[in-house]
Amino acid sequence: MATLDPAAAADPEAWVMCPPSGYHAGFGCPFSALATLARMPWAVVRSAPPDSPCLPAAAPLPAERSELSSVTVVSREAGTCLDYAAVQVFIDASSRIVAVDLSVGEP
């Protein structure tokens, strides 16, 4: 998990992160929710969290996110699990984006 300073949110480089292990789901760093969205030629937006057999078992949401509304953007053209990605955007009661979760498929 990484924290993004709201003042830096307009800078695409500020969205680049890397878990302490240096990899996730068989992919190496860096990761970026914005870059993932840019690579989705066709996407579907839905109100449900990411759900795919390509994803590892979901960890429970942190308590501060469990009461938030969210939308999830999923690529429509995931050929294999390695192509699957989803970006879940969490929105507070003031309609502000307060968290973003990037999910990527595993082989």
Side-chain angles (χ1 to χ4, degrees):
M1 180 185 293
T3 302
L4 177 64
D5 178 358
D11 178 8
E13 290 301 314
W15 291 76
V16 175
M17 57 86 55
C18 184
S21 66
Y23 64 93
H24 174 69
F27 294 95
C29 290
F31 295 97
S32 169
L34 291 180
T36 300
L37 289 170
R39 288 191 304 267
M40 291 183 180
W42 297 98
V44 175
V45 178
R46 58 185 184 189
S47 59
D51 181 27
S52 169
C54 296
L55 294 176
L61 286 175
E64 65 271 12
R65 289 193 205 163
S66 63
E67 298 298 318
L68 297 172
S69 297
S70 72
V71 294
T72 303
V73 182
V74 180
S75 178
R76 269 191 352 182
E77 298 182 2
T80 69
C81 284
L82 294 176
D83 300 322
Y84 180 86
V87 177
Q88 186 175 14
V89 179
F90 294 88
I91 303 157
D92 71 9
S94 298
S95 298
R96 294 178 298 178
I97 295 174
V98 294
V100 176
D101 185 40
L102 172 61
S103 300
V104 293
E106 292 184 341

